[in-house]
Amino acid sequence: MQHIEPSVEKRLAAEGIRLTGGRRQTIATLAAMGGPRTAAEIHSETGDSIPLSSLYRSLAVLTDAGILASHHGSDGVIRFELAEWFTGHHHHLVCVECGAVFDVIPTADQERRMARLVEEMAAGTGFAAAGHRFEIEGLCSKCR
Amino acid sequence: MQHIEPSVEKRLAAEGIRLTGGRRQTIATLAAMGGPRTAAEIHSETGDSIPLSSLYRSLAVLTDAGILASHHGSDGVIRFELAEWFTGHHHHLVCVECGAVFDVIPTADQERRMARLVEEMAAGTGFAAAGHRFEIEGLCSKCR
DNA sequence: GCTGATAATAGGAATCATTCTCAATAAATG
DNA sequence: CATTTATTGAGAATGATTCCTATTATCAGC
Protein backbone atom coordinates (compact mmCIF):
# COMPACT_ATOMS: atom_id res chain seq x y z
CA MET A 1 0.00 0.00 0.00
CA GLN A 2 2.80 2.34 0.90
CA HIS A 3 4.20 2.16 -2.58
CA ILE A 4 1.04 3.39 -4.24
CA GLU A 5 0.48 6.38 -2.01
CA PRO A 6 3.06 8.68 -3.61
CA SER A 7 1.69 8.16 -7.10
CA VAL A 8 -1.85 8.64 -5.86
CA GLU A 9 -0.89 11.83 -4.10
CA LYS A 10 0.87 13.11 -7.17
CA ARG A 11 -2.04 12.32 -9.42
CA LEU A 12 -4.58 13.96 -7.16
CA ALA A 13 -2.39 17.01 -6.65
CA ALA A 14 -2.18 17.41 -10.41
CA GLU A 15 -5.94 17.79 -10.49
CA GLY A 16 -6.18 19.96 -7.39
CA ILE A 17 -7.83 17.21 -5.36
CA ARG A 18 -6.90 16.68 -1.74
CA LEU A 19 -5.82 13.33 -0.38
CA THR A 20 -7.72 13.38 2.90
CA GLY A 21 -7.89 10.82 5.65
CA GLY A 22 -11.11 9.29 4.40
CA ARG A 23 -9.84 8.99 0.87
CA ARG A 24 -6.57 7.52 2.03
CA GLN A 25 -8.43 4.94 4.07
CA THR A 26 -10.75 4.14 1.18
CA ILE A 27 -7.83 3.49 -1.14
CA ALA A 28 -5.94 1.48 1.45
CA THR A 29 -8.98 -0.66 2.17
CA LEU A 30 -9.57 -1.34 -1.50
CA ALA A 31 -5.92 -2.19 -1.97
CA ALA A 32 -6.08 -4.59 0.97
CA MET A 33 -9.30 -6.23 -0.21
CA GLY A 34 -7.77 -6.71 -3.61
CA GLY A 35 -10.75 -7.16 -5.91
CA PRO A 36 -13.79 -5.23 -7.06
CA ARG A 37 -15.82 -4.30 -3.97
CA THR A 38 -19.13 -2.61 -3.36
CA ALA A 39 -19.52 0.57 -1.35
CA ALA A 40 -21.30 -1.44 1.34
CA GLU A 41 -18.43 -3.91 1.56
CA ILE A 42 -15.88 -1.15 1.90
CA HIS A 43 -18.07 0.59 4.43
CA SER A 44 -18.35 -2.40 6.71
CA GLU A 45 -14.70 -3.35 6.19
CA THR A 46 -13.71 0.05 7.58
CA GLY A 47 -15.99 -0.48 10.56
CA ASP A 48 -18.48 2.16 9.45
CA SER A 49 -15.86 4.80 10.14
CA ILE A 50 -16.68 6.55 6.88
CA PRO A 51 -20.32 7.54 6.37
CA LEU A 52 -21.82 6.01 3.27
CA SER A 53 -22.56 9.37 1.70
CA SER A 54 -18.93 10.45 2.10
CA LEU A 55 -17.72 7.10 0.91
CA TYR A 56 -19.79 7.30 -2.25
CA ARG A 57 -18.54 10.82 -2.84
CA SER A 58 -14.93 9.77 -2.36
CA LEU A 59 -15.37 6.79 -4.65
CA ALA A 60 -16.80 9.04 -7.33
CA VAL A 61 -14.00 11.58 -6.98
CA LEU A 62 -11.30 8.93 -7.02
CA THR A 63 -12.86 7.17 -9.99
CA ASP A 64 -13.06 10.47 -11.82
CA ALA A 65 -9.43 11.13 -11.05
CA GLY A 66 -8.50 7.75 -12.49
CA ILE A 67 -7.35 6.28 -9.16
CA LEU A 68 -10.19 3.78 -9.08
CA ALA A 69 -12.26 1.99 -11.68
CA SER A 70 -15.92 1.15 -11.27
CA HIS A 71 -17.95 -1.71 -12.69
CA HIS A 72 -21.67 -2.29 -12.70
CA GLY A 73 -22.23 -5.88 -11.75
CA SER A 74 -25.01 -8.11 -12.99
CA ASP A 75 -26.67 -7.70 -9.61
CA GLY A 76 -27.06 -3.98 -10.28
CA VAL A 77 -24.49 -2.93 -7.73
CA ILE A 78 -21.37 -0.90 -8.43
CA ARG A 79 -18.02 -2.37 -7.48
CA PHE A 80 -14.79 -0.40 -7.21
CA GLU A 81 -11.18 -1.42 -7.44
CA LEU A 82 -7.80 0.18 -7.99
CA ALA A 83 -7.35 1.42 -11.54
CA GLU A 84 -5.39 -0.66 -13.98
CA TRP A 85 -2.24 1.40 -13.71
CA PHE A 86 -1.93 -0.13 -10.21
CA THR A 87 -3.30 -3.57 -10.80
CA GLY A 88 -2.28 -4.08 -14.38
CA HIS A 89 -4.77 -4.64 -17.16
CA HIS A 90 -7.15 -7.44 -16.32
CA HIS A 91 -10.58 -8.92 -16.84
CA HIS A 92 -13.20 -10.43 -14.59
CA LEU A 93 -14.62 -13.78 -13.62
CA VAL A 94 -18.18 -13.19 -12.46
CA CYS A 95 -20.08 -15.73 -10.40
CA VAL A 96 -23.64 -15.83 -11.71
CA GLU A 97 -24.77 -17.32 -8.41
CA CYS A 98 -23.43 -14.99 -5.73
CA GLY A 99 -22.29 -12.02 -7.82
CA ALA A 100 -18.72 -12.17 -6.58
CA VAL A 101 -16.09 -10.90 -8.98
CA PHE A 102 -12.51 -12.07 -9.35
CA ASP A 103 -9.69 -10.62 -11.36
CA VAL A 104 -7.98 -12.56 -14.10
CA ILE A 105 -4.85 -11.19 -15.73
CA PRO A 106 -4.47 -11.96 -19.42
CA THR A 107 -1.11 -12.76 -20.87
CA ALA A 108 0.31 -10.28 -23.35
CA ASP A 109 -0.57 -12.65 -26.13
CA GLN A 110 -4.15 -13.09 -24.96
CA GLU A 111 -4.54 -9.36 -24.69
CA ARG A 112 -3.16 -8.86 -28.15
CA ARG A 113 -5.69 -11.30 -29.56
CA MET A 114 -8.47 -9.58 -27.67
CA ALA A 115 -7.47 -6.17 -28.96
CA ARG A 116 -7.58 -7.54 -32.48
CA LEU A 117 -11.12 -8.81 -31.91
CA VAL A 118 -12.18 -5.36 -30.68
CA GLU A 119 -10.73 -3.75 -33.77
CA GLU A 120 -12.37 -6.19 -36.14
CA MET A 121 -15.77 -6.03 -34.52
CA ALA A 122 -15.92 -2.26 -34.24
CA ALA A 123 -14.76 -1.72 -37.82
CA GLY A 124 -17.48 -0.33 -40.05
CA THR A 125 -20.01 0.37 -37.30
CA GLY A 126 -19.53 4.12 -37.01
CA PHE A 127 -18.47 3.49 -33.47
CA ALA A 128 -15.28 4.92 -32.00
CA ALA A 129 -13.99 2.09 -29.84
CA ALA A 130 -12.19 3.33 -26.76
CA GLY A 131 -11.87 0.23 -24.65
CA HIS A 132 -13.30 -3.14 -24.00
CA ARG A 133 -14.66 -5.15 -21.18
CA PHE A 134 -14.50 -8.88 -21.10
CA GLU A 135 -16.25 -10.90 -18.47
CA ILE A 136 -16.31 -14.63 -18.01
CA GLU A 137 -19.49 -15.77 -16.36
CA GLY A 138 -19.75 -18.98 -14.41
CA LEU A 139 -19.75 -20.45 -10.95
CA CYS A 140 -17.08 -19.67 -8.39
CA SER A 141 -15.50 -22.47 -6.40
CA LYS A 142 -17.87 -21.84 -3.49
CA CYS A 143 -21.05 -21.95 -5.56
CA ARG A 144 -20.36 -24.72 -8.02
CA MET B 1 -42.21 -10.88 -35.56
CA GLN B 2 -44.91 -13.30 -36.57
CA HIS B 3 -42.32 -15.94 -37.11
CA ILE B 4 -41.10 -15.88 -33.56
CA GLU B 5 -44.48 -16.19 -31.91
CA PRO B 6 -44.95 -19.93 -32.45
CA SER B 7 -41.60 -20.78 -30.93
CA VAL B 8 -42.23 -18.44 -28.02
CA GLU B 9 -45.60 -19.99 -27.42
CA LYS B 10 -44.13 -23.46 -27.52
CA ARG B 11 -41.35 -22.60 -25.15
CA LEU B 12 -43.65 -20.94 -22.65
CA ALA B 13 -46.15 -23.78 -22.85
CA ALA B 14 -43.36 -26.22 -22.09
CA GLU B 15 -42.82 -24.44 -18.79
CA GLY B 16 -46.51 -23.97 -18.05
CA ILE B 17 -46.32 -20.21 -18.55
CA ARG B 18 -49.14 -18.37 -20.28
CA LEU B 19 -48.59 -16.11 -23.24
CA THR B 20 -50.92 -13.28 -22.32
CA GLY B 21 -51.69 -10.07 -24.16
CA GLY B 22 -49.25 -8.02 -22.15
CA ARG B 23 -46.44 -10.50 -22.64
CA ARG B 24 -47.16 -10.77 -26.33
CA GLN B 25 -47.04 -7.01 -26.63
CA THR B 26 -43.82 -6.81 -24.63
CA ILE B 27 -42.11 -9.32 -26.88
CA ALA B 28 -43.44 -7.70 -30.05
CA THR B 29 -42.28 -4.28 -28.90
CA LEU B 30 -38.83 -5.55 -28.07
CA ALA B 31 -38.62 -7.31 -31.41
CA ALA B 32 -39.63 -4.11 -33.18
CA MET B 33 -37.19 -1.95 -31.25
CA GLY B 34 -34.44 -4.38 -32.07
CA GLY B 35 -31.79 -3.72 -29.46
CA PRO B 36 -31.38 -3.86 -25.71
CA ARG B 37 -34.03 -1.60 -24.15
CA THR B 38 -34.88 -0.47 -20.67
CA ALA B 39 -38.21 -1.13 -19.00
CA ALA B 40 -38.94 2.60 -19.17
CA GLU B 41 -38.27 2.66 -22.91
CA ILE B 42 -40.56 -0.29 -23.53
CA HIS B 43 -43.17 1.25 -21.29
CA SER B 44 -43.30 4.54 -23.18
CA GLU B 45 -43.01 2.77 -26.54
CA THR B 46 -46.21 0.90 -25.75
CA GLY B 47 -47.90 4.15 -24.80
CA ASP B 48 -48.02 3.29 -21.10
CA SER B 49 -50.53 0.58 -21.90
CA ILE B 50 -48.73 -1.85 -19.61
CA PRO B 51 -48.20 -0.73 -16.03
CA LEU B 52 -44.57 -0.66 -15.04
CA SER B 53 -45.05 -3.22 -12.29
CA SER B 54 -46.62 -5.68 -14.71
CA LEU B 55 -44.00 -4.94 -17.30
CA TYR B 56 -41.19 -5.66 -14.88
CA ARG B 57 -42.86 -8.88 -13.86
CA SER B 58 -43.34 -9.95 -17.45
CA LEU B 59 -39.76 -9.11 -18.29
CA ALA B 60 -38.57 -11.19 -15.34
CA VAL B 61 -40.77 -14.13 -16.28
CA LEU B 62 -39.75 -14.01 -19.93
CA THR B 63 -36.08 -13.70 -19.05
CA ASP B 64 -36.42 -16.64 -16.70
CA ALA B 65 -38.06 -18.65 -19.44
CA GLY B 66 -35.18 -17.86 -21.78
CA ILE B 67 -37.26 -15.75 -24.17
CA LEU B 68 -35.43 -12.57 -23.26
CA ALA B 69 -31.93 -11.73 -22.06
CA SER B 70 -31.15 -8.95 -19.63
CA HIS B 71 -28.03 -6.83 -19.30
CA HIS B 72 -27.04 -4.40 -16.58
CA GLY B 73 -25.70 -1.34 -18.31
CA SER B 74 -22.96 0.93 -17.04
CA ASP B 75 -25.64 3.46 -16.15
CA GLY B 76 -27.07 0.99 -13.63
CA VAL B 77 -30.20 0.31 -15.64
CA ILE B 78 -31.30 -3.09 -16.90
CA ARG B 79 -31.86 -3.50 -20.62
CA PHE B 80 -33.77 -6.38 -22.20
CA GLU B 81 -33.65 -7.88 -25.65
CA LEU B 82 -34.71 -11.07 -27.38
CA ALA B 83 -32.62 -14.04 -26.36
CA GLU B 84 -29.84 -15.20 -28.61
CA TRP B 85 -31.77 -18.09 -30.11
CA PHE B 86 -33.81 -15.38 -31.88
CA THR B 87 -31.16 -12.81 -32.56
CA GLY B 88 -28.15 -15.06 -32.93
CA HIS B 89 -25.15 -14.86 -30.66
CA HIS B 90 -23.82 -11.34 -30.48
CA HIS B 91 -21.95 -8.79 -28.41
CA HIS B 92 -22.45 -5.15 -27.58
CA LEU B 93 -21.11 -1.77 -28.48
CA VAL B 94 -21.74 0.49 -25.52
CA CYS B 95 -21.64 4.26 -25.82
CA VAL B 96 -19.88 5.61 -22.73
CA GLU B 97 -21.51 8.98 -23.32
CA CYS B 98 -25.23 8.27 -23.65
CA GLY B 99 -25.39 4.65 -22.48
CA ALA B 100 -26.97 3.41 -25.69
CA VAL B 101 -26.21 -0.17 -26.62
CA PHE B 102 -25.90 -1.65 -30.10
CA ASP B 103 -25.59 -5.23 -31.17
CA VAL B 104 -22.60 -6.51 -33.07
CA ILE B 105 -22.60 -10.00 -34.51
CA PRO B 106 -19.27 -11.79 -34.49
CA THR B 107 -18.24 -14.01 -37.35
CA ALA B 108 -17.90 -17.70 -36.61
CA ASP B 109 -14.16 -17.29 -36.66
CA GLN B 110 -14.19 -14.37 -34.26
CA GLU B 111 -16.43 -16.26 -31.93
CA ARG B 112 -14.18 -19.27 -32.05
CA ARG B 113 -11.21 -17.14 -31.09
CA MET B 114 -13.19 -15.58 -28.28
CA ALA B 115 -14.24 -18.96 -26.91
CA ARG B 116 -10.62 -20.01 -26.86
CA LEU B 117 -9.72 -16.93 -24.83
CA VAL B 118 -12.45 -17.76 -22.33
CA GLU B 119 -11.12 -21.28 -21.96
CA GLU B 120 -7.54 -20.19 -21.53
CA MET B 121 -8.32 -17.48 -19.03
CA ALA B 122 -10.64 -19.56 -16.86
CA ALA B 123 -8.29 -22.54 -16.79
CA GLY B 124 -6.78 -23.11 -13.39
CA THR B 125 -8.90 -20.60 -11.50
CA GLY B 126 -11.35 -23.01 -9.87
CA PHE B 127 -14.04 -21.25 -11.82
CA ALA B 128 -16.60 -23.11 -13.92
CA ALA B 129 -16.97 -20.89 -16.98
CA ALA B 130 -20.48 -20.97 -18.40
CA GLY B 131 -20.50 -18.05 -20.78
CA HIS B 132 -18.88 -14.79 -21.59
CA ARG B 133 -19.80 -11.23 -22.17
CA PHE B 134 -17.81 -8.98 -24.38
CA GLU B 135 -18.48 -5.29 -24.60
CA ILE B 136 -16.76 -2.72 -26.71
CA GLU B 137 -16.89 0.69 -25.09
CA GLY B 138 -16.64 3.87 -27.09
CA LEU B 139 -18.62 6.69 -28.59
CA CYS B 140 -21.61 6.12 -30.83
CA SER B 141 -21.96 8.06 -34.06
CA LYS B 142 -24.23 10.62 -32.37
CA CYS B 143 -21.90 11.32 -29.45
CA ARG B 144 -18.46 11.29 -31.04
C1' DG C 1 -70.69 -22.84 -22.59
C1' DC C 2 -70.02 -23.18 -17.23
C1' DT C 3 -67.02 -23.81 -13.10
C1' DG C 4 -63.40 -24.13 -10.26
C1' DA C 5 -58.41 -23.88 -9.66
C1' DT C 6 -54.57 -21.29 -10.76
C1' DA C 7 -51.87 -17.81 -13.02
C1' DA C 8 -51.56 -12.98 -14.20
C1' DT C 9 -52.56 -8.14 -13.68
C1' DA C 10 -52.98 -3.35 -11.76
C1' DG C 11 -51.91 -0.16 -8.66
C1' DG C 12 -49.70 1.33 -5.02
C1' DA C 13 -46.51 0.81 -1.31
C1' DA C 14 -41.93 -0.65 -0.08
C1' DT C 15 -36.87 -1.38 -0.90
C1' DC C 16 -32.38 -0.34 -1.61
C1' DA C 17 -28.32 1.49 -3.82
C1' DT C 18 -27.01 5.76 -4.96
C1' DT C 19 -27.12 10.86 -5.19
C1' DC C 20 -28.12 15.34 -3.46
C1' DT C 21 -28.38 19.29 -0.07
C1' DC C 22 -26.46 22.27 3.02
C1' DA C 23 -24.53 23.62 7.21
C1' DA C 24 -20.29 22.54 9.66
C1' DT C 25 -15.38 21.44 9.34
C1' DA C 26 -10.80 20.83 7.68
C1' DA C 27 -6.95 21.87 4.51
C1' DA C 28 -3.95 24.68 1.87
C1' DT C 29 -2.25 29.32 0.79
C1' DG C 30 -0.43 33.38 1.82
C1' DC D 1 -3.33 33.58 11.92
C1' DA D 2 -6.92 34.59 8.42
C1' DT D 3 -9.04 33.54 4.28
C1' DT D 4 -10.51 30.86 0.76
C1' DT D 5 -11.94 26.66 -1.01
C1' DA D 6 -12.47 21.73 -0.75
C1' DT D 7 -14.44 18.23 1.99
C1' DT D 8 -17.28 16.03 5.27
C1' DG D 9 -21.56 14.28 7.77
C1' DA D 10 -26.26 13.53 8.44
C1' DG D 11 -30.23 13.07 6.57
C1' DA D 12 -33.49 13.74 2.88
C1' DA D 13 -34.45 12.73 -1.87
C1' DT D 14 -34.29 9.97 -6.08
C1' DG D 15 -35.24 6.45 -9.15
C1' DA D 16 -35.11 1.84 -10.79
C1' DT D 17 -36.82 -2.28 -9.32
C1' DT D 18 -39.49 -5.41 -6.37
C1' DC D 19 -43.18 -6.71 -3.37
C1' DC D 20 -48.10 -7.01 -1.79
C1' DT D 21 -53.00 -7.71 -2.25
C1' DA D 22 -57.25 -7.63 -4.25
C1' DT D 23 -59.17 -8.24 -8.71
C1' DT D 24 -59.29 -10.30 -13.20
C1' DA D 25 -58.16 -13.36 -16.92
C1' DT D 26 -56.95 -18.06 -18.48
C1' DC D 27 -57.13 -22.95 -18.88
C1' DA D 28 -58.82 -27.85 -17.99
C1' DG D 29 -62.38 -30.65 -17.40
C1' DC D 30 -67.18 -31.32 -17.24
Side-chain angles (χ1 to χ4, degrees):
Chain A
M1 264 152 287
Q2 275 77 351
H3 56 296
I4 71 175
E5 280 231 349
S7 19
V8 167
E9 206 153 351
K10 200 170 149 197
R11 183 141 184 170
L12 288 179
E15 313 201 24
I17 295 171
R18 296 176 187 160
L19 180 55
T20 62
R23 290 175 185 169
R24 205 183 302 262
Q25 191 180 358
T26 302
I27 295 169
T29 303
L30 267 175
M33 295 179 95
R37 303 294 170 171
T38 66
E41 285 168 347
I42 299 167
H43 181 242
S44 76
E45 179 76 11
T46 58
D48 304 19
S49 66
I50 303 171
L52 267 180
S53 62
S54 300
L55 180 54
Y56 272 110
R57 209 159 357 87
S58 290
L59 290 170
V61 167
L62 293 172
T63 301
D64 238 47
I67 309 293
L68 304 181
S70 69
H71 312 282
H72 286 255
S74 55
D75 52 359
V77 175
I78 306 177
R79 283 159 214 273
F80 297 86
E81 67 181 333
L82 294 182
E84 294 197 332
W85 54 286
F86 289 127
T87 61
H89 178 58
H90 63 272
H91 295 287
H92 289 145
L93 295 164
V94 182
C95 179
V96 296
E97 190 66 26
C98 67
V101 183
F102 304 88
D103 288 347
V104 57
I105 297 170
T107 65
D109 176 60
Q110 287 166 344
E111 190 51 32
R112 210 175 302 121
R113 286 187 276 150
M114 189 156 299
R116 180 152 36 206
L117 281 169
V118 171
E119 251 179 65
E120 289 178 22
M121 290 169 66
T125 61
F127 205 88
H132 61 275
R133 163 206 286 262
F134 186 59
E135 282 179 6
I136 299 175
E137 301 170 327
L139 293 174
C140 71
S141 46
K142 271 188 216 144
C143 295
R144 65 195 293 190
Chain B
M1 266 142 283
Q2 275 78 351
H3 56 295
I4 71 175
E5 278 232 351
S7 20
V8 167
E9 207 153 349
K10 201 169 146 196
R11 181 140 185 171
L12 288 180
E15 312 202 24
I17 296 172
R18 296 175 186 160
L19 181 56
T20 62
R23 290 174 184 172
R24 204 183 304 261
Q25 192 180 356
T26 301
I27 295 168
T29 303
L30 266 176
M33 295 179 94
R37 302 293 171 173
T38 67
E41 284 169 347
I42 299 166
H43 181 242
S44 75
E45 179 76 12
T46 58
D48 304 17
S49 66
I50 303 170
L52 266 181
S53 62
S54 301
L55 179 55
Y56 271 110
R57 210 167 352 88
S58 290
L59 290 170
V61 167
L62 293 172
T63 301
D64 239 45
I67 310 292
L68 304 181
S70 69
H71 312 283
H72 287 255
S74 55
D75 52 1
V77 175
I78 306 177
R79 283 158 214 274
F80 297 86
E81 66 181 333
L82 294 183
E84 295 198 331
W85 54 286
F86 289 126
T87 61
H89 178 57
H90 62 274
H91 295 288
H92 290 145
L93 295 163
V94 182
C95 179
V96 295
E97 190 66 25
C98 67
V101 183
F102 305 88
D103 288 347
V104 57
I105 297 170
T107 65
D109 175 60
Q110 286 166 346
E111 190 52 31
R112 208 174 304 121
R113 286 187 275 152
M114 189 156 302
R116 177 148 36 199
L117 282 169
V118 170
E119 249 179 67
E120 289 178 20
M121 289 169 67
T125 61
F127 204 88
H132 62 275
R133 162 207 284 262
F134 187 58
E135 282 178 6
I136 299 176
E137 301 169 326
L139 293 174
C140 71
S141 47
K142 271 189 216 142
C143 295
R144 64 196 292 190

PDB file of all heavy atoms in Angstrom, chain B residues 45-57:
ATOM      1  N   GLU B  45     -42.789   3.197 -25.160  1.00  0.00           N
ATOM      2  CA  GLU B  45     -43.008   2.768 -26.544  1.00  0.00           C
ATOM      3  C   GLU B  45     -44.405   2.171 -26.716  1.00  0.00           C
ATOM      4  O   GLU B  45     -45.030   2.317 -27.756  1.00  0.00           O
ATOM      5  CB  GLU B  45     -41.949   1.737 -26.951  1.00  0.00           C
ATOM      6  CG  GLU B  45     -42.089   1.207 -28.372  1.00  0.00           C
ATOM      7  CD  GLU B  45     -41.617   2.202 -29.422  1.00  0.00           C
ATOM      8  OE1 GLU B  45     -40.986   3.203 -29.047  1.00  0.00           O
ATOM      9  OE2 GLU B  45     -41.898   1.973 -30.620  1.00  0.00           O
ATOM     10  N   THR B  46     -44.879   1.510 -25.680  1.00  0.00           N
ATOM     11  CA  THR B  46     -46.208   0.896 -25.753  1.00  0.00           C
ATOM     12  C   THR B  46     -47.288   1.877 -25.302  1.00  0.00           C
ATOM     13  O   THR B  46     -48.429   1.473 -25.064  1.00  0.00           O
ATOM     14  CB  THR B  46     -46.294  -0.347 -24.851  1.00  0.00           C
ATOM     15  OG1 THR B  46     -45.994   0.044 -23.506  1.00  0.00           O
ATOM     16  CG2 THR B  46     -45.330  -1.411 -25.279  1.00  0.00           C
ATOM     17  N   GLY B  47     -46.909   3.153 -25.173  1.00  0.00           N
ATOM     18  CA  GLY B  47     -47.901   4.155 -24.801  1.00  0.00           C
ATOM     19  C   GLY B  47     -48.455   3.950 -23.401  1.00  0.00           C
ATOM     20  O   GLY B  47     -49.624   4.223 -23.137  1.00  0.00           O
ATOM     21  N   ASP B  48     -47.620   3.491 -22.497  1.00  0.00           N
ATOM     22  CA  ASP B  48     -48.016   3.293 -21.097  1.00  0.00           C
ATOM     23  C   ASP B  48     -49.185   2.322 -20.962  1.00  0.00           C
ATOM     24  O   ASP B  48     -49.895   2.334 -19.950  1.00  0.00           O
ATOM     25  CB  ASP B  48     -48.414   4.619 -20.428  1.00  0.00           C
ATOM     26  CG  ASP B  48     -47.302   5.660 -20.525  1.00  0.00           C
ATOM     27  OD1 ASP B  48     -46.393   5.486 -21.354  1.00  0.00           O
ATOM     28  OD2 ASP B  48     -47.349   6.634 -19.764  1.00  0.00           O
ATOM     29  N   SER B  49     -49.371   1.478 -21.971  1.00  0.00           N
ATOM     30  CA  SER B  49     -50.528   0.584 -21.903  1.00  0.00           C
ATOM     31  C   SER B  49     -50.279  -0.571 -20.930  1.00  0.00           C
ATOM     32  O   SER B  49     -51.206  -1.206 -20.463  1.00  0.00           O
ATOM     33  CB  SER B  49     -50.864   0.054 -23.298  1.00  0.00           C
ATOM     34  OG  SER B  49     -49.831  -0.771 -23.766  1.00  0.00           O
ATOM     35  N   ILE B  50     -49.046  -0.820 -20.605  1.00  0.00           N
ATOM     36  CA  ILE B  50     -48.726  -1.850 -19.615  1.00  0.00           C
ATOM     37  C   ILE B  50     -48.133  -1.164 -18.388  1.00  0.00           C
ATOM     38  O   ILE B  50     -47.149  -0.455 -18.508  1.00  0.00           O
ATOM     39  CB  ILE B  50     -47.700  -2.851 -20.173  1.00  0.00           C
ATOM     40  CG1 ILE B  50     -48.217  -3.481 -21.457  1.00  0.00           C
ATOM     41  CG2 ILE B  50     -47.389  -3.922 -19.139  1.00  0.00           C
ATOM     42  CD1 ILE B  50     -47.176  -4.300 -22.183  1.00  0.00           C
ATOM     43  N   PRO B  51     -48.739  -1.349 -17.234  1.00  0.00           N
ATOM     44  CA  PRO B  51     -48.204  -0.734 -16.027  1.00  0.00           C
ATOM     45  C   PRO B  51     -46.771  -1.196 -15.790  1.00  0.00           C
ATOM     46  O   PRO B  51     -46.433  -2.349 -16.091  1.00  0.00           O
ATOM     47  CB  PRO B  51     -49.122  -1.249 -14.919  1.00  0.00           C
ATOM     48  CG  PRO B  51     -50.333  -1.753 -15.608  1.00  0.00           C
ATOM     49  CD  PRO B  51     -49.940  -2.145 -16.978  1.00  0.00           C
ATOM     50  N   LEU B  52     -45.977  -0.324 -15.249  1.00  0.00           N
ATOM     51  CA  LEU B  52     -44.573  -0.665 -15.041  1.00  0.00           C
ATOM     52  C   LEU B  52     -44.406  -1.921 -14.195  1.00  0.00           C
ATOM     53  O   LEU B  52     -43.549  -2.755 -14.483  1.00  0.00           O
ATOM     54  CB  LEU B  52     -43.837   0.507 -14.383  1.00  0.00           C
ATOM     55  CG  LEU B  52     -43.146   1.465 -15.344  1.00  0.00           C
ATOM     56  CD1 LEU B  52     -42.444   2.573 -14.566  1.00  0.00           C
ATOM     57  CD2 LEU B  52     -42.135   0.716 -16.186  1.00  0.00           C
ATOM     58  N   SER B  53     -45.224  -2.051 -13.160  1.00  0.00           N
ATOM     59  CA  SER B  53     -45.047  -3.221 -12.293  1.00  0.00           C
ATOM     60  C   SER B  53     -45.305  -4.506 -13.071  1.00  0.00           C
ATOM     61  O   SER B  53     -44.578  -5.480 -12.937  1.00  0.00           O
ATOM     62  CB  SER B  53     -45.966  -3.126 -11.083  1.00  0.00           C
ATOM     63  OG  SER B  53     -47.314  -3.115 -11.468  1.00  0.00           O
ATOM     64  N   SER B  54     -46.335  -4.489 -13.902  1.00  0.00           N
ATOM     65  CA  SER B  54     -46.623  -5.676 -14.713  1.00  0.00           C
ATOM     66  C   SER B  54     -45.515  -5.911 -15.727  1.00  0.00           C
ATOM     67  O   SER B  54     -45.094  -7.050 -15.953  1.00  0.00           O
ATOM     68  CB  SER B  54     -47.952  -5.492 -15.443  1.00  0.00           C
ATOM     69  OG  SER B  54     -48.990  -5.292 -14.528  1.00  0.00           O
ATOM     70  N   LEU B  55     -45.052  -4.820 -16.306  1.00  0.00           N
ATOM     71  CA  LEU B  55     -44.003  -4.939 -17.304  1.00  0.00           C
ATOM     72  C   LEU B  55     -42.758  -5.575 -16.705  1.00  0.00           C
ATOM     73  O   LEU B  55     -42.194  -6.520 -17.270  1.00  0.00           O
ATOM     74  CB  LEU B  55     -43.672  -3.556 -17.865  1.00  0.00           C
ATOM     75  CG  LEU B  55     -42.565  -3.498 -18.909  1.00  0.00           C
ATOM     76  CD1 LEU B  55     -42.858  -4.429 -20.073  1.00  0.00           C
ATOM     77  CD2 LEU B  55     -42.386  -2.072 -19.411  1.00  0.00           C
ATOM     78  N   TYR B  56     -42.358  -5.092 -15.541  1.00  0.00           N
ATOM     79  CA  TYR B  56     -41.185  -5.661 -14.877  1.00  0.00           C
ATOM     80  C   TYR B  56     -41.391  -7.150 -14.604  1.00  0.00           C
ATOM     81  O   TYR B  56     -40.500  -7.965 -14.764  1.00  0.00           O
ATOM     82  CB  TYR B  56     -40.903  -4.932 -13.563  1.00  0.00           C
ATOM     83  CG  TYR B  56     -40.003  -3.726 -13.724  1.00  0.00           C
ATOM     84  CD1 TYR B  56     -40.493  -2.451 -13.570  1.00  0.00           C
ATOM     85  CD2 TYR B  56     -38.664  -3.889 -14.032  1.00  0.00           C
ATOM     86  CE1 TYR B  56     -39.665  -1.344 -13.705  1.00  0.00           C
ATOM     87  CE2 TYR B  56     -37.828  -2.800 -14.170  1.00  0.00           C
ATOM     88  CZ  TYR B  56     -38.339  -1.521 -14.005  1.00  0.00           C
ATOM     89  OH  TYR B  56     -37.519  -0.437 -14.143  1.00  0.00           O
ATOM     90  N   ARG B  57     -42.595  -7.477 -14.161  1.00  0.00           N
ATOM     91  CA  ARG B  57     -42.864  -8.878 -13.858  1.00  0.00           C
ATOM     92  C   ARG B  57     -42.789  -9.722 -15.117  1.00  0.00           C
ATOM     93  O   ARG B  57     -42.170 -10.781 -15.138  1.00  0.00           O
ATOM     94  CB  ARG B  57     -44.222  -9.032 -13.168  1.00  0.00           C
ATOM     95  CG  ARG B  57     -44.267 -10.203 -12.215  1.00  0.00           C
ATOM     96  CD  ARG B  57     -45.483 -10.183 -11.308  1.00  0.00           C
ATOM     97  NE  ARG B  57     -46.241  -8.975 -11.411  1.00  0.00           N
ATOM     98  CZ  ARG B  57     -47.207  -8.751 -12.277  1.00  0.00           C
ATOM     99  NH1 ARG B  57     -47.543  -9.687 -13.120  1.00  0.00           N
ATOM    100  NH2 ARG B  57     -47.832  -7.611 -12.284  1.00  0.00           N
TER     101      ARG B  57
END
